[in-house]
Amino acid sequence: MSTSVNTVTTNRPFSSEEVIFPAKIDLLGMDYAGLVDFFAKMGEKPFRAGQVMKWIHQFGVSDFNDMTNLSKALRQKLMDSAVIRTPKIVSEQRSNDGTIKWLLEVDHHNCVEAVFIPEKSRGTLCISSQVGCALECSFCSTGQQGFNRNLENWEIVAQMWVANKALGCQPKEDRVISNVVFMGMGEPLLNVTHTFPAARILMDDHGYGLSKRRVTISTAGVVPAIDKIKAALDVSLAISLHAPNNELRNRLVPINQKYPLEVLMPALHRYVEGGYSKKHVTVEYVMLDQVNDRVEHAHQLVALLGDLACKVNLIPFNPFPNAPYQRSSNNAVHRFQDVLMAGGINCTVRKTRGDDIDAACGQLAGKVKDRTKRTLQTVNLDQLNG
Ligand code: SAH
């Protein structure tokens, strides 16, 4: 399949602004409220916030000189005090099926990946929230790579900025990226300080204007942060469940040892109940041959989910080098789906996309240099969850 892969390598340097004036305020990762505040401190009117956000996010502009509805004096003031940081695009790979993967350099040691998946009725961008991941889920390539650090607001938003620009910055009605999922590298709920403002920019009408149903935060089950989401922002939630009992989940998703199912499931119920609008949770379940894909597991899952407002997405396992698992057979997947449906649970099977460029779920490894291999035991999860 490798002959079908089209790799484009560019060498765009970091903006010289950033190198010369590292203390300047970054506007790419600033949400609307932050920008209103920023302009107020400059003695400027609040509507400037909306104007500048539109230039950055809707028109893909990173040079204040191109913001032609601002006076020259204001553009100069902005150049003196602020910067729009953008990452270096290390590579852009295009799959046979239209999937595109970007490798972005966020600092001189770290790269993250973002993936665009076009479908008939929508275009989904899968973005990363951390460099690597500390959770060590045994079926996930990112988890096997170790953890480097949390991404900052601008580094999360930059993935959308780059993808949107590469896809032509279409106006709202013709937009190519209609959905964003935090299902790339990292655990977004161990980085709420930066993922929440980034999600706000994605949903802001001055930003990318995505509907709250089309921005999904996916978590392995960081319970305290699940409770924080509801108060902080209105987005969709996906839970990477992957096992219907603690014994199995402890092995597949080790954070289950800290927040076991009897703690996680009530948190999911709290999330859907009394939300701003009618909510449900998407339950992700990776299908591992002979590990979690038996009929008895499906029955256990029906019992565990009970009356939770949810839909289940079965994900065929995507292999990576030295992976200790195999993909479940199609028969096993459909047998599992039948049991769930018979139990009254809406259940779909995810189509694997972009596997010829290692862009499928769980294959994002970032090809990052200088990683610090840390383990769940040595990373203080509460500290990370700033
Ligand atoms: N930490 C977050 C987000 C990143 S993982 C979380 O756990 O939800 C997002 C999803 O990638 C996981 O739910 C899982 O469904 C999927 N995934 C990880 N490794 C995979 C693999 N090897 N094959 C298929 N899906 C995988």
Side-chain angles (χ1 to χ4, degrees), residues 116-124 176-179 214 311:
F116 173 68
I117 307 137
E119 286 171 284
K120 270 206 191 90
S121 57
R122 64 183 172 190
T124 302
V176 184
I177 302 172
S178 59
N179 295 55
R214 293 172 176 269
K311 68 165 196 246

Side-chain angles (χ1 to χ4, degrees), residues 11 30 60 102 104 107 118 142 170 182 190 202 204 244 252 258 262 269 285 298 315-316 319 321 328 345 359 379 384:
N11 273 319
M30 198 178 271
W102 291 272
L104 304 177
D107 61 41
T142 309
Q170 302 296 337
F182 284 78
L190 285 177
L202 296 175
D204 196 306
L252 301 180
K258 187 166 170 114
E262 61 275 19
H269 281 276
Y285 196 102
I315 309 168
S328 299
I345 292 171
V379 173
L384 274 175

Side-chain angles (χ1 to χ4, degrees), residues 241-249 252 256 261 265 285 291-305 336 340:
L241 200 62
H242 307 312
N245 61 62
N246 281 327
E247 185 272 320
L248 192 50
R249 196 162 193 269
L252 301 180
N256 193 68
L261 291 172
M265 297 313 292
Y285 196 102
V291 175
N292 64 352
D293 66 347
R294 301 205 181 104
V295 169
E296 71 198 72
H297 296 128
H299 285 295
Q300 285 175 19
L301 187 57
V302 171
L304 179 73
L305 295 176
F336 201 95
L340 290 180

Side-chain angles (χ1 to χ4, degrees), residues 80-352:
D80 291 343
S81 58
V83 66
I84 300 162
R85 291 175 87 180
T86 58
K88 177 177 167 185
I89 303 170
V90 178
S91 66
E92 179 185 296
Q93 289 175 280
R94 289 177 185 256
S95 157
N96 260 348
D97 67 15
T99 299
I100 310 174
K101 180 169 83 168
W102 291 272
L103 183 66
L104 304 177
E105 187 177 293
V106 289
D107 61 41
H108 294 299
H109 302 293
N110 294 312
C111 299
V112 293
E113 292 184 327
V115 178
F116 173 68
I117 307 137
E119 286 171 284
K120 270 206 191 90
S121 57
R122 64 183 172 190
T124 302
L125 185 71
C126 176
I127 61 175
S128 299
S129 56
Q130 297 180 314
V131 185
C133 189
L135 297 186
E136 298 194 287
C137 296
S138 55
F139 54 86
C140 177
S141 175
T142 309
Q144 307 305 300
Q145 302 285 313
F147 173 77
N148 255 287
R149 66 173 176 86
N150 283 336
L151 291 180
E152 293 173 22
N153 300 9
W154 79 270
E155 294 167 323
I156 300 170
V157 175
Q159 298 167 61
M160 179 68 168
W161 188 88
V162 165
N164 193 43
K165 203 168 156 90
L167 295 168
C169 286
Q170 302 296 337
K172 194 170 179 178
E173 49 287 359
D174 299 320
R175 68 158 63 98
V176 184
I177 302 172
S178 59
N179 295 55
V180 172
V181 292
F182 284 78
M183 292 185 189
M185 299 164 70
E187 169 52 52
L189 292 191
L190 285 177
N191 184 17
V192 299
T193 312
H194 302 111
T195 48
F196 285 5
R200 263 185 225 115
I201 294 170
L202 296 175
M203 295 187 289
D204 196 306
D205 277 341
H206 305 103
Y208 299 92
L210 299 181
S211 115
K212 61 194 177 189
R213 284 191 184 77
R214 293 172 176 269
V215 175
T216 302
I217 290 188
S218 178
T219 180
V222 184
V223 168
I226 292 175
D227 285 325
K228 273 190 197 168
I229 291 187
K230 216 153 100 177
L233 81 169
D234 196 8
V235 279
S236 300
L237 180 70
I239 174 75
S240 294
L241 200 62
H242 307 312
N245 61 62
N246 281 327
E247 185 272 320
L248 192 50
R249 196 162 193 269
N250 284 345
R251 282 196 278 138
L252 301 180
V253 187
I255 197 176
N256 193 68
Q257 294 159 31
K258 187 166 170 114
Y259 304 114
L261 291 172
E262 61 275 19
V263 176
L264 175 62
M265 297 313 292
L268 299 179
H269 281 276
R270 285 196 295 279
Y271 172 80
V272 292
E273 284 156 16
Y276 306 86
S277 51
K278 217 172 162 202
K279 275 202 189 293
H280 70 266
V281 177
T282 301
V283 173
E284 294 162 277
Y285 196 102
V286 65
M287 295 296 285
L288 307 170
D289 184 37
Q290 302 293 318
V291 175
N292 64 352
D293 66 347
R294 301 205 181 104
V295 169
E296 71 198 72
H297 296 128
H299 285 295
Q300 285 175 19
L301 187 57
V302 171
L304 179 73
L305 295 176
D307 63 356
L308 179 71
C310 67
K311 68 165 196 246
V312 175
N313 203 206
L314 300 178
I315 309 168
F317 171 67
N318 294 309
F320 51 89
N322 303 321
Y325 303 108
Q326 312 260 307
R327 182 179 287 190
S328 299
S329 68
N330 284 343
N331 272 349
V333 173
H334 289 116
R335 206 170 48 217
F336 201 95
Q337 183 182 27
D338 288 346
V339 174
L340 290 180
M341 304 275 266
I345 292 171
N346 183 359
C347 176
T348 51
V349 179
R350 188 179 293 172
K351 235 172 103 188
T352 292

